[in-house]
Amino acid sequence: MKLTIKSVFAAAAVTLIASNVHAQASATLDQLLQEVKNNRVSEAKLNKAREAEFQSARADKQALLSKANSDLKAEQSRGDRLAKQFADNEVKLTEKATELDQATGDLGEMFGVVRQAASESYGRIATSIVSAEYPGRAAFLKRMSEESEGLPNI
């Protein structure tokens, strides 16, 4: 926006100077030479101002580019760090799954035996005469014998 305003200002100044030059018929060559020198100086000032503005804009854009590059590097290093952490977690997860399989493998047989015994006991208690007097005695054994996955709940 500054560039547009300055460009409009410069164009107006050049137009004004040009109209003054044409409007006033120079009486002598010395006056004409002086006007040309003045115009050259004012145009040089305008050009210097434009160059300074361009350099400032260039520096701003360079700063934005360097910030974007540093942000990119930071995010890439974060991504690498997270990828390494993910890989490490995958290894840990595999190790823990193996440990769990080993632990439940040893206990799995025991739970199978407990379920089988609970199933047999349920059959005996459910058909006993005492269960007719005390209903609900076999509910725990029934639940325990029917649980096919996981650890039995007490």
Side-chain angles (χ1 to χ4, degrees):
M1 186 165 157
K2 289 181 180 181
L3 181 64
T4 306
I5 293 171
K6 287 183 180 182
S7 298
V8 169
F9 178 76
V14 170
T15 305
L16 182 61
I17 292 170
S19 66
N20 285 341
V21 170
H22 291 295
Q24 298 173 356
S26 298
T28 64
L29 289 176
D30 291 333
Q31 286 177 337
L32 182 59
L33 179 63
Q34 188 61 33
E35 287 179 24
V36 168
K37 286 180 182 178
N38 291 339
N39 287 339
R40 185 186 313 162
V41 169
S42 65
E43 286 181 17
K45 286 180 184 177
L46 288 173
N47 287 338
K48 291 261 187 209
R50 278 193 229 147
E51 286 176 17
E53 184 178 341
F54 176 76
Q55 292 296 333
S56 173
R58 182 176 180 204
D60 291 344
K61 294 210 183 346
Q62 188 64 33
L64 286 173
L65 178 63
S66 64
K67 183 182 181 315
N69 284 335
S70 66
D71 288 348
L72 176 64
K73 286 181 183 178
E75 289 301 319
Q76 285 175 339
S77 66
R78 179 177 175 258
D80 293 342
R81 180 178 45 82
L82 289 176
K84 183 182 180 317
Q85 183 180 4
F86 181 80
D88 292 344
N89 287 345
E90 285 289 323
V91 169
K92 286 180 186 177
L93 185 62
T94 303
E95 291 172 358
K96 295 297 181 185
T98 304
E99 287 178 27
L100 179 64
D101 288 342
Q102 289 174 352
T104 56
D106 296 340
L107 296 176
E109 288 182 39
M110 184 184 74
F111 292 137
V113 171
V114 168
R115 285 190 184 102
Q116 183 178 0
S119 178
E120 290 173 5
S121 298
Y122 171 71
R124 286 187 190 149
I125 291 177
T127 58
S128 76
I129 297 175
V130 176
S131 292
E133 289 181 31
Y134 301 107
R137 279 182 25 173
F140 171 74
L141 293 174
K142 180 179 181 183
R143 268 189 302 128
M144 192 173 218
S145 66
E146 290 177 349
E147 291 179 5
S148 61
E149 293 182 10
L151 303 177
N153 295 325
I154 295 178

